[in-house]
Amino acid sequence: MFPKSGKELMEVCEKSQCKIWEHTLKSEAHLSEVKEEQILKNMREVLNTMKSSATEGLHKKVTSISGLIGGDAYKMNEYIENEETLTGNVMAKAMARALSSSEINASMGKIVAAPTAGSCGILPAVLITAGEKLEKTEDEMVQALLTASGVGHIIATNATVSGAEGGCQAECGSAAAMAAAAVVEMMGGTPKESLDAAAIVIKCVLGLVCDPVAGLVEIPCAKRNAMGAVNALAAADMVMAGVESYIPFDDTVSAMYKVGKSLPCELRETALGGVAITEAGLKMKKEVFG
């Protein structure tokens, strides 16, 4: 069965001498009564959809239905191909891919809500970019998705992944934590190191509000996906360098939930606070809805 906490997950993995993805696969097969082979096949389809949404916006300008966002993924890709980036191509590609998925989502294209539509760009961008850099096979990337799923399940069990309930920290924060944990395991890290990376990510986004302009998952959501991808990759590198999280993963998840509950309703996806009610935000709302 799925562990109810990060501590339990580490204990199970240590006892069974397995990786997070392996335990997640067995737990899902047991819970859903679906064979492991079928689960892996389903995950491969998920990965392919992620690849598509993370790539489409790089090669053509995708505009959202509202017209509020579009073309940023294309701009980032052009920048990567024609200029010398400051943060390096890995970070820049991750940002571009995160923007692409967000733009595909806002244009009513097909994405994977992992864990939500509003945070759909982070996990694909991080896993695809890290997989490319580390020269991982498709099978290994599917395994990374399972690792992310296992960590996401614990977050959802003990906190929330809903922006309406816990702010953007619960959406983009959870997605980035899942991605960081998966990348660490891709890099050969232990379950503890994976959860340390997830903890570092969450600590860095505590209090992040959900304030979509015009109530649409576009501004500032798309750029938060890009920065969430950077957060995940940075945390993975820190952990693989030997940096630990002094606050355990379970404690950071608990803190995120409490902080989310403390946020006023204006800062939880209602578009009644934050950048949504700035002069520019209200102007854009009027342009969209009249």
Side-chain angles (χ1 to χ4, degrees):
M1 294 296 291
F2 282 106
K4 295 180 180 179
S5 68
K7 181 180 179 181
E8 185 181 333
L9 176 61
M10 285 190 291
E11 290 173 349
V12 169
C13 288
E14 183 177 354
K15 183 179 179 180
S16 302
Q17 289 295 293
C18 67
K19 296 182 180 295
I20 295 174
W21 77 263
E22 292 172 313
H23 185 70
T24 301
L25 178 60
K26 291 184 183 301
S27 297
E28 177 61 24
H30 175 77
L31 184 66
S32 63
E33 297 183 347
V34 174
K35 291 183 178 180
E36 292 184 10
E37 293 77 12
Q38 184 60 47
I39 293 171
L40 290 171
K41 181 180 178 181
N42 294 343
M43 280 303 229
R44 196 178 303 277
E45 293 176 3
V46 166
L47 177 62
N48 287 333
T49 299
M50 285 183 166
K51 286 180 177 178
S52 178
S53 67
T55 303
E56 187 174 344
L58 304 184
H59 306 296
K60 69 176 185 179
K61 296 180 180 180
V62 177
T63 304
S64 67
I65 297 297
S66 70
L68 287 180
I69 65 170
D72 285 344
Y74 182 83
K75 291 175 186 175
M76 280 296 301
N77 194 53
E78 288 284 291
Y79 173 60
I80 293 165
E81 292 183 348
N82 298 301
E83 305 289 342
E84 184 176 348
T85 66
L86 179 63
T87 59
N89 282 3
V90 170
M91 286 294 189
K93 283 181 179 179
M95 286 187 273
R97 285 167 172 151
L99 288 168
S100 175
S101 292
S102 293
E103 289 171 352
I104 297 300
N105 176 49
S107 67
M108 300 297 112
K110 187 176 181 180
I111 54 92
V112 178
T116 65
S119 61
C120 70
I122 297 172
L123 191 56
V126 172
L127 293 192
I128 293 167
T129 305
E132 183 177 85
K133 172 67 175 179
L134 299 169
E135 298 182 343
K136 295 297 181 180
T137 65
E138 190 172 83
D139 285 344
E140 289 172 316
M141 291 178 69
V142 167
Q143 292 166 6
L145 273 179
L146 285 163
T147 302
S149 299
V151 173
H153 184 273
I154 293 173
I155 295 173
T157 298
N158 295 282
T160 179
V161 296
S162 166
E165 189 176 7
C168 195
Q169 57 165 13
E171 291 206 26
C172 286
S174 295
M178 292 161 61
V183 170
V184 167
E185 194 159 88
M186 287 173 75
M187 296 174 75
T190 65
K192 181 189 181 301
E193 288 171 330
S194 287
L195 294 179
D196 271 356
I200 290 170
V201 165
I202 292 173
K203 287 187 295 185
C204 292
V205 297
L206 283 180
L208 183 59
V209 303
C210 185
D211 50 351
V213 170
L216 303 172
V217 186
E218 300 181 29
I219 301 173
C221 318
K223 293 182 178 68
R224 283 183 182 161
N225 272 257
M227 298 312 294
V230 170
N231 191 0
L233 290 168
D237 256 346
M238 288 175 70
V239 167
M240 295 308 292
V243 176
E244 296 183 69
S245 177
Y246 296 136
I247 307 298
F249 171 71
D250 290 330
D251 286 354
T252 64
V253 172
S254 175
M256 183 175 73
Y257 186 63
K258 291 176 181 176
V259 169
K261 287 297 185 182
S262 299
L263 292 174
C265 66
E266 290 84 357
L267 300 177
R268 285 187 279 144
E269 209 171 352
T270 57
L272 297 175
V275 299
I277 60 168
T278 60
E279 182 179 349
L282 292 173
K283 181 181 178 181
M284 285 184 275
K285 179 182 178 181
K286 187 175 182 180
E287 290 173 353
V288 173
F289 296 113

